Each structure stands twice: as C-alpha cells, then as structure tokens.
Amino acid sequence: MDRMSQRTRLTPEQRREQLLDLGIRLFAHHSLDEISIDVVAREAGISRGLLYHYFGDKMAFREAVVRRAADALVAQTAPPATGEPVERLLASMTAYVDFVDANYEGYVSMVRGAASDPVLREIYDEAFGALGLRIFDAGADFVEDTPAARLMVRGWQAMSEELVLSWKADPAGLSREELLGVLAGSLPVLLEMLPERTRRE
Amino acid sequence: MDRMSQRTRLTPEQRREQLLDLGIRLFAHHSLDEISIDVVAREAGISRGLLYHYFGDKMAFREAVVRRAADALVAQTAPPATGEPVERLLASMTAYVDFVDANYEGYVSMVRGAASDPVLREIYDEAFGALGLRIFDAGADFVEDTPAARLMVRGWQAMSEELVLSWKADPAGLSREELLGVLAGSLPVLLEMLPERTRRE
DNA sequence: CTTGCCTATTGAACAGGTGTCAATAGAATG
DNA sequence: CATTCTATTGACACCTGTTCAATAGGCAAG
C-alpha cells in the first residue's frame, strides 16, 4: 500500500537537527515518558536503529531535547544589562512569567518531568542554577554569595515556580502585576530571614 | 539447592498487608521506578502473578504504596492540638523534616515523580492540600482563608520542600534548628507580602 | 554513463520487564 | 479421608529498549 519505505539520506547535521526539532515539538505537548523511541522514530519516518546511531540511548536523546528547552528558557529570561538590581529582577521575572505563558505544556512537563532521571534533573538544576546565579552577579548589593544564600534562592525559585503555575491555573484574585510584585519582593525578605552569620563570607 | 519453592497460603488480607508493607519498606530507599513487579515478587517470595491478582497492574500497586506513604506523611506531621499557632507550625515542620529524613529516596521520587502518572499526582496534591489546610483551621489568628492566602501557602510549601531536600543534600552551613526557624518564620512574612485587599474575605 | 566506495540507514534478533490465564495445590469443611 | 474453594503458580504472549551485521543512497572517479 504505502511505499513510504524509501530511505532518505541526510547529512548527520541535518538528521540530528531534524530529530531534535521533532523532540522539542513533541516535548511541548507530551510528558517525557510519552517520548518513546518508537514514537519518535515513527514520527520522523526513520528506523529505531537510527536514533541509537545518533544518540546513544533513549535517555541521551531525552537529555538532548531537555537541554535545548532549558537553554531556551535561560536565554529568554535574561535580565537587561543595566538598571537597578531590583528592577532587573522584576524584568527577569516578567520574562519568566511570559515564558511560562507561551510554553505552558512544555514547561510544565519539563518541571514536573525532570523526575525519573538524575541526568535530566541535573540539566534542570543547571538551568535554574544559571537563573539563580544572575541574582548574585548582577549589581548584587542586596546579597552576598554564600552557600546559605544560594540555598535560599533555590527555595525562592521553587516558590516562584509553584506560584506562577498555580496562578496560571487560578489567579486567586491577584493581578499579574501584583503577582510579579510578590515574586520580586519576596526574595530580599526571605534572604533576610537567614541567620546573620550565614549571610557573610 | 534452595527448596524455598513451597507455597505459603495466606488470607487475602494478610497477603495484601504483607505486600503493601514490603512496598513501603522498598519505597523508603528506592525510587518508584526501581519498585518493579519482579523486585517486589522476588523480595516477597511470591510469583509475579500474585501481585497482579491483588493489584491490577504495576501502577495500581505503586499508587497503593504511595497513598500509604502520603497518609503516613499527613498523619506524622499532624500538629499538636494545643499551643501557640507558630509553635504548632514549628512542631509540624519538625515532623516534616524527620519524615523526609527517614524516607528520603522514596519521598524524593514521590515529589519529583508524581509527574508521569496523573493518579500519583493527585495523591500528592491531595496530601499537600491537607497539609496546607491545617494552617487555616488551626488557631489561624495570623491568616484568613482567602484564595490569595491559599495560593501563597502553596508557594510556601513548594519552597519548604525544596529547602528541605536541598538542605539534606548539602546543609550549606545551616543547622537543623536554623533551617526549621527559616521555614516556620517565612510563612507569616510571605503572607504579609500579599496586597492588603486580598487578605480579607 | 557506470563503477566503486563511503557511510547513513535499516531490519532482524536479543534482553528484560509487563501483563494474562489455565492449571495447581494449600487448607478448611463435612 | 474426600471434597471443595480459592490462593497461588508458571508458562507464554507482548511491548520497549538496545545491538549489530547487512543494505542501499549518493558522490566522485574513471
């Protein structure tokens, strides 16, 4: 019936690109577990073996896809180069909310999906670490870079993530600006909760 | 060699109980993915078929185990019936940290792994909803139960979870008591960040 | 045009785990 | 004891991840 069985031979770069693009597209609306070798291969019109040729195994492929998504997040939420620290923070948070808005399904599946594999978790951590680090290397007059401060920033990020996602699902009477105000305003407050000793280096 | 192949016939209640207990024990130190039918059956000294007889499939078994763990979490972190709100909160948070301590791997995989299966996600949400609700129906003189307040509590829970897990991995110079202080102290502070209007009903 | 080579690509076969079901064997009952 | 009930088993079919020798697309040389 269908004689789609013809091979199409691409350069390694093209093929790799095609597969990654497909992965990103699938990732936007499917959880990671749903991105099986079979699905990707069928969708791309290639054999399973080829996926193994380009990416060692299933996890490696997922990792490559997630890494792309994470890079996009980091890039799009880059704060402006100039301005007051608090304003830059607010700008970055705004971009973050926008990003979540634009890529909701994909973002959720990345956040909630960095679960099973430690390597995926690490990619996620790396991306969020980069997001968090900006707070320190910015003007950074309201934080010193200590282990405790980094821990607190992580906690604040987790809170922000949860607030944005929950707020998307149900705004709970908060306007977008009010939400952003809470997000940006809570970081300094939280950092002040740390014992004095742990905020100096 | 080993003639352990003798059947032992238990009542359905006993068997079910044994398997769930085993599941909980495995859950404490293994991620959900590591709790395969094979492992459980071998560990319990029964055939795989029996597991399917009692719990329809793998997911149903995992759900039963996670539900038990979630119930245990809610039970073990119940705040004392008397005392100042802040003290009761602190006691509850202490119990929470202890629980995470005792069931680290399983807890992590429950938190991070509620992603794939919607049913697991719902169990998780249910448990954390119950945890959060206690803050309102307690003495609750520092919060009124509004949509915005509930949102904020969710955010605070996410932060607490992240802080405890990250702190376990690397204490970052914070003592256990200091961590608990930050956790319990941050909730009122965060709630005060909400616009006045959204904190009344 | 065609021959040959390089390598992108395939398909078959294997491994390991999930799920099904008729057959088997404890153990209680008469 | 014999019988009956059902908890329990083991073999088997199936689905996915993974490996690898065999295949064929397309470019360059003759």
Side-chain angles (χ1 to χ4, degrees), chain A residues 98-119:
Chain A
D98 289 341
F99 182 92
V100 175
D101 233 321
N103 311 324
Y104 189 67
E105 285 82 2
Y107 181 74
V108 170
S109 77
M110 175 175 121
V111 168
R112 311 272 196 228
S116 33
D117 184 42
V119 183

Side-chain angles (χ1 to χ4, degrees), chain A residues 33 112 115-116 121 147-148 151-152 154-155 158-159 162-163 166 172-174 178 182 185-186 189-190 193 195 197-198, chain B residues 33 112-113 115-116 121 147-148 151-152 154-155 158-159 162-163 166 172-174 178 182 185-186 189-190 193 195 197-198:
Chain A
D33 308 294
R112 311 272 196 228
S116 33
R121 177 72 195 169
L151 179 67
M152 200 69 223
R154 287 180 65 100
M159 181 188 76
E162 178 64 36
L163 284 181
S166 288
L174 282 180
E178 286 171 334
V182 170
S186 55
V189 171
L190 286 173
M193 299 233 29
R197 159 179 61 80
T198 65
Chain B
D33 309 296
R112 313 267 195 233
S116 36
R121 179 72 196 170
L151 178 67
M152 200 70 223
R154 283 182 69 99
M159 180 187 76
E162 179 63 37
L163 284 181
S166 289
L174 281 181
E178 287 171 334
V182 170
S186 55
V189 171
L190 286 173
M193 299 238 22
R197 161 179 62 80
T198 65

Side-chain angles (χ1 to χ4, degrees), chain A:
Chain A
M1 287 300 163
D2 59 4
R3 32 90 196 93
M4 304 286 292
S5 50
Q6 300 196 18
R7 297 184 176 185
T8 50
R9 185 189 176 112
L10 303 181
T11 68
E13 289 73 31
Q14 287 174 321
R15 185 62 81 188
R16 212 187 159 77
E17 211 57 22
Q18 174 211 359
L19 294 177
L20 278 180
D21 281 351
L22 174 59
I24 288 286
R25 222 170 325 125
L26 289 176
F27 184 63
H29 297 287
H30 297 80
S31 83
L32 279 175
D33 308 294
E34 291 169 335
I35 304 183
S36 67
I37 297 292
D38 281 286
V39 168
V40 176
R42 195 180 322 119
E43 208 74 16
I46 60 168
S47 66
R48 277 174 309 199
L50 197 56
L51 252 171
Y52 284 93
H53 176 69
Y54 282 103
F55 309 85
D57 58 10
K58 186 182 65 167
M59 279 309 175
F61 178 68
R62 289 186 179 175
E63 284 158 27
V65 171
V66 171
R67 179 158 280 129
R68 271 217 166 177
D71 287 347
L73 170 63
V74 173
Q76 290 184 36
T77 61
T82 65
E84 287 298 309
V86 178
E87 276 181 28
R88 299 174 63 198
L89 178 58
L90 188 61
S92 184
M93 290 310 293
T94 305
Y96 171 68
V97 172
D98 289 341
F99 182 92
V100 175
D101 233 321
N103 311 324
Y104 189 67
E105 285 82 2
Y107 181 74
V108 170
S109 77
M110 175 175 121
V111 168
R112 311 272 196 228
S116 33
D117 184 42
V119 183
L120 287 187
R121 177 72 195 169
E122 186 171 326
I123 296 172
Y124 171 83
D125 280 343
E126 210 173 286
F128 265 69
L131 258 53
L133 278 186
R134 291 182 187 148
I135 290 167
F136 296 108
D137 61 38
D141 50 353
F142 62 98
V143 215
E144 282 186 35
D145 187 356
T146 68
R150 292 207 178 199
L151 179 67
M152 200 69 223
V153 169
R154 287 180 65 100
W156 171 76
Q157 287 180 305
M159 181 188 76
S160 300
E161 189 173 287
E162 178 64 36
L163 284 181
V164 172
L165 290 179
S166 288
W167 179 81
K168 276 275 309 176
D170 172 16
L174 282 180
S175 73
R176 179 192 148 94
E177 283 66 34
E178 286 171 334
L179 174 69
L180 282 167
V182 170
L183 292 180
S186 55
L187 178 58
V189 171
L190 286 173
L191 285 167
E192 276 174 27
M193 299 233 29
L194 289 173
E196 185 70 25
R197 159 179 61 80
T198 65
R199 281 153 49 197
R200 328 229 150 186
E201 42 189 347

